[in-house]
């Protein structure tokens, strides 16, 4: 029996994945990198801020030093955080609240496992700050997804074995991390065709979780 569900944040609970894309696009434009596309952005899902920057810089003519890269990542984060100012509970993805309620009624614990260092701010702005039994985020980790660290920390904070946890993810890196961490992986959105996923759905809203053997 499943004892906990660990949610990825950006693109699973909230629509912030689009804001990440727009902020990286703004930085790419500032740097004169016109070839940065939404397709590139799919590879930024789930991975750390610095790993995401490398995806943008793949298409740059200039070589940047480590110090310059930190400045560029900070610049993107400033654009991103500014766009988070107007975030509200309306930016939760459809069906999220109902699913969390369903899990609580079943006595299944919930956690967040996100690479984002802005996790707490996003949870506060969307009204989810007090909804989870544990939060593991980019401030807790030293390794980025696809390393399972962020999910293993979540399981540890919940006091559970990884095999008792289900991870819900919209990134390929996150599905890999969940499986390498010994967890059940539910792939949604951009990751839904990942070959390692145990369950697949368009989104939480579209998932017939009430009839899933996971929660019987
Ligand atoms: C993940 C996003 O949730 O967080 C990535 O999918 C992002 O695209 C990563 O790079 C780090 O986010 P932040 O907010 O710390 O820059
Ligand atoms: Mg995500």
């Amino acid at each position: 029996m499943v004892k906990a569900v660990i949610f990825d944040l950006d693109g699973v609970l909230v629509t912030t994945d689009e804001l990440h894309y727009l902020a990286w696009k703004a930085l790419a434009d500032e740097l004169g990198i016109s070839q940065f596309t939404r397709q590139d952005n799919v590879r930024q899902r789930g991975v750390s801020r610095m790993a995401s920057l490398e995806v943008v810089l793949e298409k740059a003519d200039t070589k940047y030093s480590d110090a310059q890269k930190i400045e560029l990542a900070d610049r993107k984060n400033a654009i991103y955080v500014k766009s988070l100012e107007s975030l509200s509970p309306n930016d939760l993805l459809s069906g999220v609240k109902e699913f969390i309620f369903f899990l609580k009624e079943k006595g299944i614990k919930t956690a967040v496992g996100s690479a984002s260092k802005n996790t707490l701010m996003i949870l506060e702005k969307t009204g989810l700050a007090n909804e989870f039994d544990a939060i593991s985020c980019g401030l807790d980790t030293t390794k980025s997804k696809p390393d399972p660290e962020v999910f293993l920390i979540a399981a540890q904070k919940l006091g559970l074995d990884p095999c008792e946890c289900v991870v819900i993810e919209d990134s390929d890196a996150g599905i890999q991390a969940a499986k390498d961490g010994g967890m059940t992986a539910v792939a949604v959105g951009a990751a839904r065709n990942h070959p390692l996923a145990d369950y697949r759905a368009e989104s939480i809203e579209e998932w017939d979780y009430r009839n899933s053997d996971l929660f019987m």
Side-chain angles (χ1 to χ4, degrees), residues 106-121:
K106 290 246 165 206
I108 295 170
K109 290 187 176 178
T110 57
V112 173
S114 169
S116 176
K117 294 182 174 168
N118 296 300
T119 294
L120 296 183
M121 176 188 181

Side-chain angles (χ1 to χ4, degrees), residues 64-186:
Y64 293 93
S65 67
D66 287 349
Q68 284 173 317
K69 286 180 184 177
I70 289 169
E71 189 275 317
L72 293 178
D74 286 349
R75 225 200 282 177
K76 178 268 175 178
N77 192 52
I79 300 168
Y80 177 60
V81 168
K82 184 111 192 74
S83 72
L84 293 179
E85 273 171 20
S86 59
L87 209 64
S88 79
N90 291 335
D91 297 299
L92 288 177
L93 282 156
S94 302
V96 161
K97 284 286 244 195
E98 292 82 352
F99 184 42
I100 293 173
F101 184 71
F102 165 84
L103 294 172
K104 285 189 177 169
E105 282 215 306
K106 290 246 165 206
I108 295 170
K109 290 187 176 178
T110 57
V112 173
S114 169
S116 176
K117 294 182 174 168
N118 296 300
T119 294
L120 296 183
M121 176 188 181
I122 292 168
L123 292 179
E124 264 160 34
K125 290 222 155 246
T126 54
L128 289 184
N130 298 314
E131 296 297 328
F132 298 97
D133 297 296
I135 294 168
S136 169
C137 73
L139 298 173
D140 298 297
T141 55
T142 54
K143 289 170 250 165
S144 173
K145 297 171 190 175
D147 190 282
E149 185 186 25
V150 73
F151 295 137
L152 294 175
I153 291 173
Q156 199 177 29
K157 286 187 179 187
L158 291 166
L160 296 174
D161 282 338
C163 66
E164 296 172 312
C165 301
V166 172
V167 167
I168 307 193
E169 257 293 349
D170 72 322
S171 72
D172 288 351
I175 295 295
Q176 185 73 52
K179 293 315 298 172
D180 286 351
M183 297 163 182
T184 301
V186 180

